[in-house]
Structure formats: C-alpha cells, structure tokens
C-alpha cells in the first residue's frame, strides 16, 4: 500500500525505446532536483506489466503516470513535469 502523502512517479517504457531513455533521465532529474522524500520513483516495462499499462490507457511509450493516473502520454518538458509533481505534493 502506498503512503497517501507520497507522490508515485511512474515512467512506462519498453525495451529498445530510445525516447524511453530520455524520459527516464528527465524524470530522474526532476525527482532529484525536488529532493523530496515524499516522491517515489518507479520504472515500468509495459511488456512486463501490460494489464496495468492498458488500465492506465497507455498507447505509446514512453508515458508518465502520477499516483496511478496517466498524466503525460508523451514526455513533457521538465517544467511541466515538475509543476505536476509539486501540485500533487501540495494536495497532500
């Protein structure tokens, strides 16, 4: 069970996906910059967790979900990702 005060950032990827590497790096950078203990980072290979990816509505990789909700079906800018994470942190 996830702590309700934590923002779970999930990067949905596929092996061999070049854009996925960029999305991982971007997301890790934002999480590191925020240096927030209430952020949990998780990488998900859509092949391994296809049911979860389908439930989220992932059509293409990479995609980014926050707290189990598909927020970015394509990689966002660092500023947009940071803003979305901070918004969810403030809601808690």
């Amino acid at each position: 069970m996830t702590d309700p005060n934590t923002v779970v950032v999930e990067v949905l990827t596929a092996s061999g996906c070049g854009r996925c590497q960029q999305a991982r790096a971007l997301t890790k950078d934002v999480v590191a910059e925020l240096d927030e203990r209430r952020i949990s980072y998780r990488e998900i290979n859509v092949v391994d967790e296809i049911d979860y990816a389908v439930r989220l509505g992932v059509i293409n990789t990479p995609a980014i979900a926050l707290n189990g909700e598909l927020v970015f079906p394509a990689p966002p800018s660092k500023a947009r990702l940071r803003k979305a994470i901070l918004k969810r942190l403030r809601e808690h």
Side-chain angles (χ1 to χ4, degrees):
M1 188 62 139
T2 305
D3 180 342
N5 296 315
T6 299
V7 174
V8 179
V9 179
E10 298 171 312
V11 180
L12 293 103
T13 65
S15 31
C17 167
R19 289 181 54 206
C20 293
Q21 297 287 357
Q22 294 170 340
R24 275 189 208 109
L26 172 125
T27 305
K28 285 180 178 180
D29 284 351
V30 170
V31 169
E33 286 172 7
L34 291 174
D35 190 31
E36 175 63 58
R37 287 176 175 69
R38 296 182 300 151
I39 299 173
S40 174
Y41 173 82
R42 182 173 174 229
E43 290 179 19
I44 298 171
N45 184 315
V46 295
V47 174
D48 295 338
E49 297 190 45
I50 189 69
D51 292 339
Y52 182 64
V54 168
R55 196 165 55 245
L56 286 178
V58 174
I59 296 172
N60 295 309
T61 58
I64 299 174
L66 301 176
N67 292 343
E69 173 191 351
L70 181 62
V71 177
F72 299 106
S77 67
K78 280 179 97 170
R80 286 187 64 214
L81 179 57
R82 185 181 305 108
K83 182 177 178 181
I85 292 170
L86 288 172
K87 177 180 183 239
R88 281 156 182 80
L89 285 170
R90 282 192 296 272
E91 289 172 355
H92 297 297

